[in-house]
Amino acid sequence: MIEQPLKLPNGVVLKNRIVKSAMSEALADAWNNPTSDLIGLFERWGAGGAGLLITGNTPIDPQHLEHAGNFVLDERSDMDRVSELAARAKSGGARILAQLAHAGRQTPEAINPHPLSVSDLRLNLPGYGTPVAATQAQFEEVVESFTRSALLAQAARFDGVEVHAAHGYLLSSALSPRINTRSDSWGGSLENRARLLLMVVRALRAAVAPDFILAVKLNSSDFEKGGFDHLESARVAQMLEVEGVDFIEISGGTFEAPTAYQHTSKKQSTIAREGYFLDYAAAIKSALSIPLMVTGGFRSSATMNAAIAEEKTDLIGMGRPFIVDPGFPAKLLSGEIEAAPAVEREFPPADDLPRGAVLNWFCHQLALQGSAGAPELSLPLIEGHNAYLERIEHKTAQLLEVRQQEP
């Protein structure tokens, strides 16, 4: 099943069902432009056999980064570099989407101590400041920024964009009744909480060409008490279908409840290790006629094929295996291997490790893949974790230094 092409509602055909899902590459320079490391990495991923690549978190606004090192797509972008990234990624036959995002209250305090959010509820983690609740005019500016970034992606010859409305970023937090405490037309009912996301999608669909892919990444659930849940997710997915979305990617969790960033060890069953969000996705897919993508935990071709055959998903999203071996999709599709790399299963359970250790280890390996062309898998877990934290601290200092020099 995974080798079969998929025709999207707008007529674009993906050559197979394997997708490199968004990862936080953090390989932009201090001006938030793609570096040669990032461009080369996407070229290797594009040649590796996947049908579709999605960039890591690509903010629409440099004041609302996920962290320093994000590649930003706005009017100050070096469009020659952006266009080169798209061209090199597509040179091996893959399609590529830019994942457009606004970090909202999940913007690090060092980058913006008072980021724009749907409410003034502060993130319950160290390193984040108190956000400012957006006005009507500021929400409209957000919509305009998403539209501008989508048009820039189209001009750079990306095949489309994915709007990030998951993992607790601005559009995701607007959907959450726990975070969105507003009593005006932007809060309360699900229709009001979905207003910002739907306005963004509607504006983008009207602005870009019909054959420009428009996707949305949506939480199946926030996995937090009082948050956005799977029943509401299915309803929002139906709203998005009406607005002309070409596919929806299902994930889950937020920075405070990082379900999407978990890893699975040998202590867990095979079922628990693969397809974290499949059960939630199956309920959403049954309510839709457009394709669905599920990301999280897939490794074996047998599980991937079963998920498609059982109509739980249409596209298989993976991230970490692309760090270990950019060429694994072709091997999986040819039958040379039966499963994607799963080095994380050798690690201790997350509860036995510092917060984010496995994620950070992989992020450091991703940087090595970009700079050296290969990971260093023998690197101890905690050493890689610490190296990544040091790297982000250094990139943050560089970013702030550049900002201080700007007029």
Side-chain angles (χ1 to χ4, degrees):
M1 304 291 290
I2 55 174
E3 75 280 1
Q4 294 179 351
L6 177 68
K7 187 175 183 179
L8 299 177
N10 67 351
V12 174
V13 176
L14 306 181
K15 66 179 183 179
N16 60 56
R17 306 302 181 93
I18 298 178
V19 182
K20 188 223 79 112
S21 59
M23 293 183 286
S24 187
E25 289 98 23
L27 291 177
D29 62 22
W31 293 266
N32 300 115
N33 288 309
T35 60
S36 57
D37 285 358
L38 183 63
I39 292 169
L41 189 51
F42 267 95
E43 183 173 27
R44 291 198 296 280
W45 283 334
L52 178 65
L53 313 177
I54 305 177
T55 68
N57 196 305
T58 306
I60 60 170
D61 177 357
Q63 296 301 317
H64 293 88
L65 307 179
E66 173 205 16
H67 53 55
N70 281 150
F71 148 44
V72 174
L73 196 50
D74 72 354
E75 67 277 0
R76 287 164 290 189
S77 297
D78 182 336
M79 292 304 292
D80 288 339
R81 301 292 286 170
V82 175
S83 297
E84 184 181 2
L85 189 156
R88 298 267 288 274
K90 295 165 64 172
S91 64
R95 303 267 185 183
I96 182 170
L97 308 185
Q99 187 191 72
L100 303 184
H102 184 298
R105 73 189 195 124
Q106 293 183 169
T107 304
E109 187 172 19
I111 292 172
N112 189 339
H114 300 293
L116 191 73
S117 183
V118 69
S119 70
D120 62 0
L121 183 64
R122 182 184 173 279
L123 195 69
N124 188 29
L125 290 172
Y128 297 89
T130 301
V132 175
T135 64
Q136 169 91 17
Q138 287 172 319
F139 278 139
E140 292 172 356
E141 289 172 3
V142 167
V143 175
E144 291 173 2
S145 294
F146 269 100
T147 306
R148 175 205 60 214
S149 295
L151 289 171
L152 288 171
Q154 182 173 258
R157 302 189 69 81
F158 278 78
D159 294 295
V161 296
E162 180 182 61
V163 175
H164 200 337
H167 299 173
Y169 298 110
L170 179 64
L171 301 182
S172 173
S173 62
L175 291 169
S176 169
R178 185 183 71 86
I179 303 167
N180 185 346
T181 57
R182 302 175 74 104
S183 58
D184 59 6
S185 61
W186 301 94
S189 68
L190 179 60
E191 288 71 20
N192 283 355
R193 286 182 277 123
R195 187 182 306 278
L196 181 60
L197 172 58
L198 295 178
M199 284 180 64
V200 167
V201 168
R202 195 172 298 136
L204 267 58
R205 188 74 282 171
V208 299
D211 63 350
F212 192 71
I213 299 168
L214 178 55
V216 172
K217 187 167 189 172
L218 185 69
N219 269 358
S220 57
S221 173
D222 292 347
F223 299 105
E224 293 183 282
K225 185 177 180 180
F228 185 66
D229 62 28
H230 65 280
L231 295 176
E232 291 188 328
S233 181
R235 289 172 58 193
V236 172
Q238 290 175 311
M239 297 177 195
L240 291 168
E241 179 174 8
V242 172
E243 299 296 339
V245 167
D246 292 299
F247 73 85
I248 295 172
E249 177 184 1
I250 292 298
S251 188
T254 67
F255 277 19
E256 293 168 317
T259 309
Y261 309 113
Q262 68 186 344
H263 78 282
T264 53
S265 70
K266 287 183 175 178
K267 292 182 178 180
Q268 294 173 277
S269 69
T270 301
I271 294 174
R273 290 201 300 255
E274 297 205 38
Y276 307 150
F277 306 112
L278 266 181
D279 288 342
Y280 295 101
I284 295 171
K285 181 167 172 54
S286 67
L288 300 175
S289 59
I290 60 173
L292 198 72
M293 169 180 165
V294 178
T295 298
F298 289 111
R299 295 296 181 268
S300 68
S301 57
T303 299
M304 299 175 201
N305 287 330
I308 296 171
E310 294 167 10
E311 299 187 347
K312 293 181 177 179
T313 188
D314 301 286
L315 292 166
I316 304 293
M318 288 179 280
R320 291 169 180 174
F322 283 91
I323 299 174
V324 179
D325 178 9
F328 86 85
K331 299 172 188 176
L332 201 65
L333 291 164
S334 69
E336 179 181 344
I337 59 175
E338 295 182 353
V343 298
E344 67 275 8
R345 293 183 187 164
E346 302 300 324
F347 296 144
D351 291 345
D352 299 340
L353 299 167
R355 181 183 177 88
V358 171
L359 174 64
N360 292 339
W361 184 88
F362 271 104
C363 287
H364 181 62
Q365 298 294 340
L366 194 155
L368 293 175
Q369 182 68 259
S371 61
E376 187 181 334
L377 301 181
S378 61
L379 185 72
L381 177 61
I382 300 303
E383 188 175 332
H385 164 65
N386 290 332
Y388 177 72
L389 294 178
E390 291 172 6
R391 183 168 176 274
I392 289 298
E393 184 178 356
H394 177 66
K395 293 187 77 71
T396 301
Q398 288 181 316
L399 176 73
L400 297 178
E401 182 179 353
V402 167
R403 287 188 178 179
Q404 289 173 356
Q405 296 171 359
E406 292 176 345

